[in-house]
Amino acid sequence: MRMSLSRVSKWVAVALCLASVSMVAGKDLPAHMSDQPTIGEVLYVERGCYQCHGLRGQGSVMSGPALVPLRLTREAFAALVRNPPRAMPPYSKASLSDAELLEVERYVRSFPTPRRPAEIPLLAQQLAPPTKGARSSRVSTIGSSATQSPVEASEGAKLYEAHCAACHGANRTGGVAPSLLNERQKREPSETASLIKFPPPGMPGLHPDVLSSEQVDAVALYLHQ
Amino acid sequence: MGKLPNSGRRQFLKASVLAGVSAPVIPGLASAQTSSEASKVLGPTAGVTQAETSPLIGDTDPDRLIKHPGSDFMVDLLKHSDIKYVAAMAGSSFRGIHESIVNYGGNRDPQLIVCAHEEVSAAICHGYAKVAGKPMACLIHSTVGLQHASMAIYNAWCDRVPMMIIAANHLDATKRRPGVEWTHTAQDLGAMVRDYVKYDDTPRSLQHFAESYMRAFELSLTPPYEPVMIVADGELQEEDIHDASVLSIPKRAPVQPSSASAAAISQIADLLVNAESPLIVADRAARSQTGVDSIVELAETLNAPVVDQGGRMNMPTTHYLNQTSLQQALVRSSDVILALELTDIWGLINSLPDTAERKSSRIARAGAKVIGISANYGYVRSNVQDAQRYYAADVTVDADAQECLPAIIKAVQERLTRQRRRVIAEKTPALRKTYVEMREADASAAAIGWDASPISTARLSMELWDQIKELDWGLVSNSAFISMWPQRLWDIDKYNQYIGGEGGYGIGYTTPASVGAALAHRDAGRIAISITGDGDLMMLPGTLWTMAHHSVPLLTVVHNNRAWHQETMHLKRMSGRRNRNPESWRVGTVINDPHVDYAGMARCMGVWAEGPIDKPEDLAGAISRALAVVKGGKPALLDVVTQVR
């Protein structure tokens, strides 16, 4: 009796699963593998992929590119692994079978989508201009558009009314969101603009879909009047 | 007296006393046996009575005392050259100068920094000089001590750092005690390190020592800065100075760094002014904040992006023209590249990947002009290969880059027409946009694996940054192995905030060099942060004791990936190319079974420590506690289990 392709695949999967358990047992694997690693994760570690591409696919400027997100097609991925360019070692079928390669690819595609830097305060703050140091000349995300914007600062009021007042109050006195009456004392206009562009958790992101850079600057200038 | 065992002063004294006894102490003892039973205990003789009852007849014969040893004069030289610290692992061959530092010099300016290994001594000097802007000295025991120190000296050589090495020796064969003083003497001690010191000498007299020392000192501080070595012979150290009036110390005579000729400046300025897409690449260009300011000014004048290769801090990371993360793209597109104190212009312009074929290819566009300015051009050693591959630049100037910059800026300014200035200024919005996008891309890369365990190097770097950014700090370790996150995301805008790396890639550099750098930061009221690999720390763990012993305010964060990871990748590469066991990479490259308890290691040597920390949410608290210790003037260590890079 001939087995159907799907049944063959199932048996292959079972075999690989058993193999992965035996691979893990007693092995000296890097710390913090999942409690129940998939075959792909085990292979990704055991065959050394993590060494250059990181345990979370993050890569490194010192070793290899990030794999998140993986934009390659299945065929392209396989071709690259079998005959990689530059310093990446080749993985022949003897060292990584086609079935194993498929599992590794599945595992790589399962890496979670990373959060946006704007959603991570420690990163978001670095995309805002520095608050200290006369020497610092970092260009903030507002660049020099604050002084070159064709959008009149008075338009900032209209934009604020349309997009900000609902939370921060019609007169900037606050509401579900904080008062903005003291923006001038708290921070520079460029920092305000940066907060609009890279908002803290809970605040909607208005840039670039709703407000352009010039419009953000106009709102910031309005808040500092 | 017969031959004495060569085992130290105490044994010598004991043996000489025993050797002097050739007869019974009590003269009458030999004949006592014939006396009657009633007279067995004899009374003391007149001589013995006098010896035991008379007052002490005097002090040590003054002719035996050394009143003004030569090593005192050597300490005078250290003070004259403003050497603040001398690092040393105690060694008998320099016991003379060691004692002089302590008792004659008062152990202050210079102060002895006590080390557990000569490599630590030399590496401390390496790190110190890069922050202090002046050399430190190390005392190195003859032969075996110098062998220990040699890798650290080589690192400093490659890194172009000044260092005063005072190594000791016993040249007069007739004065060497048998055994160790022979094994620990070399006929030509300098030969051991001559390939990677700028100057070495073995003075024969104290005046010779003074002149050689001052020559060496000035040479060390003349770009290219390099280590220098003076041999302090044991006899010169320990003999009395019979006539001090003939000794003199030469005055300081700093050598002005060389600058480019007027013709070269003119040629360089012409190329830069007419470039459509100039690029500035700097490695060890800035020697001080002045150098940074000059690079900024030139970059702004030309609106030229700057790639900072990180040999020193050359360009503020907060400046829109610092576009280091875009090096490959910039090199490809630039038509004029100004290379300032680069170790490796060939490697900038070309690529040679680690493949079996090792085939090189050009990265820079055809016809791109390359200007190379470096004090290294006139100073290359044949044996060591740190000069890298030969590259024939279009303009090659043997001069100190920092020294040349003001003249280049002036020449460029003089040549810029109003039209040209307008064209250059019009590039600003696009350049600023590129900078912003570059930073955003770096931030996006940092976000990958942000909450992972082991902790991502990005997460570690940013948690650290969050707590030091308001302090007066200096990063004293190489960022390369943590994916350059500080350069990509921190605000580094002062020269002393980053000092580059090993120079010679000799592993073991980080912890002792960090101690040296932290000493200089301490003197300036700053704290120091070091992020070291675990393998690097394992090379010289005794450094932890030194930092505790001297209360060095240094936060050491161990980037613990539990491997010599560079070698892990190399082994994987080999097995992949050879189509052999794809899982063999772990043999001989990982540090486990057992894992090392770095926090325990630090605590046993007196350093406050926590770890291992492997959850990112635990980092902030640990960093805060550690920084509290460091701000209180003590060292602290955090063992952080991290992703591999």
Side-chain angles (χ1 to χ4, degrees):
Chain A
M1 178 181 70
R2 268 192 295 176
M3 282 193 187
S4 67
L5 194 58
S6 62
R7 194 176 280 185
V8 168
S9 298
K10 279 184 194 164
W11 279 113
V12 167
V14 167
L16 284 172
C17 202
L18 289 171
S20 79
V21 170
S22 69
M23 268 194 270
V24 173
K27 279 292 175 85
D28 180 26
L29 296 169
H32 307 283
M33 282 187 72
S34 309
D35 290 337
Q36 292 179 313
T38 61
I39 300 160
E41 181 177 1
V42 171
L43 289 166
Y44 185 81
V45 172
E46 281 282 295
R47 305 298 157 90
C49 313
Y50 83 97
Q51 295 168 14
C52 300
H53 298 292
L55 286 168
R56 295 294 178 270
Q58 74 270 27
S60 165
V61 293
M62 274 284 279
S63 54
L67 301 178
V68 176
L70 187 65
R71 297 192 177 93
L72 300 172
T73 63
R74 172 157 297 166
E75 292 72 24
F77 181 79
L80 197 143
V81 170
R82 294 276 183 242
N83 291 287
R86 300 177 70 84
M88 176 175 164
Y91 284 81
S92 67
K93 294 193 183 191
S95 61
L96 192 72
S97 68
D98 285 339
E100 289 172 333
L101 178 55
L102 192 62
E103 294 298 331
V104 170
E105 185 205 336
R106 281 197 188 123
Y107 176 65
V108 169
R109 291 195 195 279
S110 76
F111 284 138
T113 303
R115 289 187 279 162
R116 290 171 50 238
E119 297 165 6
I120 302 172
L122 291 182
L123 292 176
Q125 71 184 6
Q126 289 312 105
L127 297 173
T131 55
K132 71 170 176 76
R135 292 202 53 78
S136 292
S137 61
R138 186 203 305 178
V139 171
S140 72
T141 52
I142 67 171
S144 58
S145 62
T147 58
Q148 297 169 6
S149 169
V151 178
E152 294 290 339
S154 60
E155 288 202 21
K158 295 178 193 168
L159 292 165
Y160 175 84
E161 187 185 342
H163 303 290
C164 316
C167 298
H168 288 285
N171 297 314
R172 295 186 271 165
T173 52
V176 296
S179 163
L180 299 176
L181 286 174
N182 294 324
E183 274 302 286
R184 204 174 184 183
Q185 286 75 40
K186 281 185 194 168
R187 48 183 70 93
E188 298 294 320
S190 55
E191 294 173 77
T192 303
S194 189
L195 273 172
I196 299 170
K197 285 188 172 182
F198 298 97
M203 179 172 162
L206 298 171
H207 172 76
D209 297 328
V210 178
L211 296 175
S212 68
S213 282
E214 289 84 357
Q215 289 174 322
V216 168
D217 294 344
V219 172
L221 284 172
Y222 164 69
L223 291 173
H224 280 259
Q225 285 176 347
Chain B
M1 194 182 301
K3 185 176 172 179
L4 299 174
N6 180 33
S7 51
R9 192 178 289 279
R10 185 178 290 182
Q11 294 302 322
F12 167 76
L13 292 171
K14 186 174 161 188
S16 66
V17 167
L18 290 173
V21 174
S22 56
V25 174
I26 303 173
L29 186 60
S31 59
Q33 292 157 355
T34 60
S35 304
S36 68
E37 284 293 321
S39 313
K40 276 187 185 173
V41 176
L42 299 176
T45 63
V48 169
T49 302
Q50 186 187 12
E52 288 181 359
T53 59
S54 298
L56 289 171
I57 56 172
D59 205 343
T60 307
D61 180 355
D63 286 341
R64 297 189 65 179
L65 298 176
I66 309 292
K67 298 170 193 57
H68 193 186
S71 55
D72 284 0
F73 181 65
M74 294 174 185
V75 172
D76 289 338
L77 280 157
L78 291 171
K79 287 181 180 288
H80 175 70
S81 53
D82 196 28
I83 298 289
K84 198 171 164 63
Y85 301 108
V86 176
M89 150 89 192
S92 58
S93 60
F94 59 78
R95 64 189 185 182
I97 192 171
H98 185 160
E99 191 275 344
S100 288
I101 287 173
V102 174
N103 285 325
Y104 173 71
N107 199 22
R108 186 180 173 82
D109 298 325
Q111 178 193 356
L112 211 61
I113 301 296
V114 188
C115 304
H117 192 293
E118 289 87 351
E119 191 183 322
V120 174
S121 305
I124 284 178
C125 291
H126 184 172
Y128 175 87
K130 288 199 278 188
V131 177
K134 61 176 186 170
M136 202 175 128
C138 51
L139 299 180
I140 302 292
H141 182 64
S142 183
T143 320
V144 293
L146 190 57
Q147 287 163 339
H148 266 174
S150 59
M151 191 207 82
I153 297 169
Y154 181 66
N155 265 344
W157 163 270
C158 293
D159 202 19
R160 311 293 182 252
V161 173
M163 181 191 301
M164 295 298 295
I165 305 156
I166 300 173
N169 208 20
H170 295 287
L171 261 190
D172 187 344
T174 66
K175 299 287 177 68
R176 288 179 210 150
R177 291 180 295 143
V180 68
E181 286 188 357
W182 281 80
T183 327
H184 292 183
T185 287
Q187 182 64 15
D188 178 4
L189 193 62
M192 287 189 170
V193 293
R194 190 161 290 138
D195 278 327
Y196 39 94
V197 298
K198 194 188 245 190
Y199 176 81
D200 74 275
D201 194 16
T202 302
R204 297 294 196 268
S205 69
L206 285 174
Q207 186 58 33
H208 181 176
F209 188 95
E211 292 173 21
S212 281
Y213 177 95
M214 291 311 296
R215 182 201 297 263
F217 183 79
E218 304 299 357
L219 276 171
S220 191
L221 275 173
T222 304
Y225 298 155
E226 295 289 12
V228 292
M229 189 170 93
I230 297 293
V231 178
D233 190 75
E235 283 215 306
L236 273 187
Q237 290 179 54
E238 298 188 23
E239 282 185 347
D240 221 334
I241 299 173
H242 297 296
D243 184 4
S245 68
V246 304
L247 296 177
S248 65
I249 297 177
K251 65 177 183 185
R252 284 289 322 271
V255 177
Q256 295 298 317
S258 57
S259 187
S261 66
I265 295 287
S266 182
Q267 193 179 3
I268 292 166
D270 285 340
L271 280 169
L272 290 173
V273 164
N274 293 303
E276 288 308 312
S277 48
L279 172 66
I280 299 172
V281 185
D283 194 8
R284 295 188 182 88
R287 293 183 282 105
S288 64
Q289 186 62 48
T290 302
V292 177
D293 296 343
S294 294
I295 292 170
V296 170
E297 186 178 353
L298 180 61
E300 288 178 345
T301 303
L302 296 166
N303 236 346
V306 177
V307 167
D308 186 343
Q309 292 197 322
R312 299 288 184 270
M313 188 287 195
N314 296 290
M315 184 74 178
T317 63
T318 52
H319 199 289
Y320 75 96
L321 287 172
N322 184 329
Q323 301 194 355
T324 301
S325 292
L326 306 175
Q327 173 176 324
Q328 294 290 312
L330 287 168
V331 171
R332 280 201 185 91
S333 60
S334 294
D335 60 345
V336 175
I337 299 172
L338 175 62
L340 300 174
E341 297 292 352
L342 257 61
T343 310
D344 186 7
I345 297 182
W346 189 95
L348 173 76
I349 303 299
N350 300 280
S351 162
L352 200 164
D354 184 7
T355 57
E357 303 78 22
R358 294 283 173 110
K359 192 166 178 248
S360 62
S361 58
R362 184 176 168 96
I363 301 172
R365 72 188 213 194
K369 300 289 185 196
V370 179
I371 305 162
I373 305 178
S374 174
N376 296 321
Y377 276 117
Y379 197 74
V380 175
R381 289 292 166 84
S382 305
N383 194 25
V384 295
Q385 296 291 291
D386 64 298
Q388 304 287 335
R389 189 158 170 180
Y390 179 69
Y391 183 81
D394 297 278
V395 181
T396 309
V397 180
D398 173 22
D400 176 64
Q402 177 169 316
E403 198 67 15
C404 292
L405 284 171
I408 294 173
I409 292 166
K410 184 166 179 284
V412 164
Q413 290 280 11
E414 287 167 353
R415 282 160 172 77
L416 284 174
T417 62
R418 189 177 296 178
Q419 158 78 358
R420 194 78 192 127
R421 286 178 196 275
R422 190 172 53 77
V423 168
I424 287 172
E426 283 170 356
K427 297 182 189 175
T428 302
L431 285 165
R432 287 178 182 267
K433 183 168 178 287
T434 299
Y435 172 84
V436 167
E437 289 169 350
M438 180 190 78
R439 292 278 283 207
E440 288 172 355
D442 283 334
S444 295
I448 304 173
W450 184 257
D451 297 308
S453 173
I455 297 168
S456 76
T457 53
R459 180 71 180 261
L460 169 61
S461 300
M462 297 315 292
E463 291 280 0
L464 257 175
W465 170 244
D466 192 50
Q467 299 202 42
I468 65 168
K469 61 182 189 260
E470 302 297 336
L471 306 175
D472 203 354
W473 58 272
L475 180 63
V476 296
S477 53
N478 188 351
S479 300
F481 296 113
I482 52 164
S483 299
M484 305 302 295
W485 290 118
Q487 275 69 18
R488 293 162 75 182
L489 289 172
W490 291 13
D491 297 345
I492 301 176
D493 58 8
K494 297 193 194 71
Y495 178 70
N496 56 48
Q497 287 175 330
Y498 186 69
I499 61 170
E502 308 84 359
Y505 299 104
I507 302 300
Y509 153 92
T510 306
T511 307
S514 297
V515 168
L519 279 173
H521 278 304
R522 181 182 69 180
D523 292 345
R526 294 185 288 261
I527 62 162
I529 315 292
S530 175
I531 306 172
T532 179
D534 52 328
D536 199 293
L537 176 57
M538 284 271 271
M539 289 274 189
L540 295 169
T543 315
L544 293 165
W545 177 86
T546 294
M547 68 171 79
H549 182 70
H550 288 287
S551 291
V552 179
L554 168 65
L555 171 57
T556 299
V557 179
V558 185
H559 150 45
N560 184 4
N561 57 17
R562 291 174 168 160
W564 293 284
H565 190 69
Q566 220 41 37
E567 282 62 42
T568 309
M569 294 189 285
H570 279 302
L571 203 65
K572 174 67 213 168
R573 204 167 286 170
M574 287 294 101
S575 67
R577 282 188 204 164
R578 296 165 180 190
N579 207 19
R580 291 178 177 168
N581 182 354
E583 298 176 10
S584 57
W585 48 265
R586 60 171 55 80
V587 181
T589 68
V590 295
I591 304 174
N592 57 19
D593 197 23
H595 290 138
V596 178
D597 178 6
Y598 295 103
M601 179 195 287
R603 282 193 289 266
C604 86
M605 296 208 219
V607 176
W608 182 99
E610 278 189 22
I613 301 156
D614 59 4
K615 295 187 181 53
E617 56 269 25
D618 293 339
L619 268 176
I623 292 169
S624 176
R625 290 186 291 276
L627 279 173
V629 171
V630 175
K631 284 189 275 187
K634 300 282 187 189
L637 181 142
L638 295 176
D639 177 6
V640 183
V641 183
T642 56
Q643 298 279 320
V644 287
R645 279 286 174 263

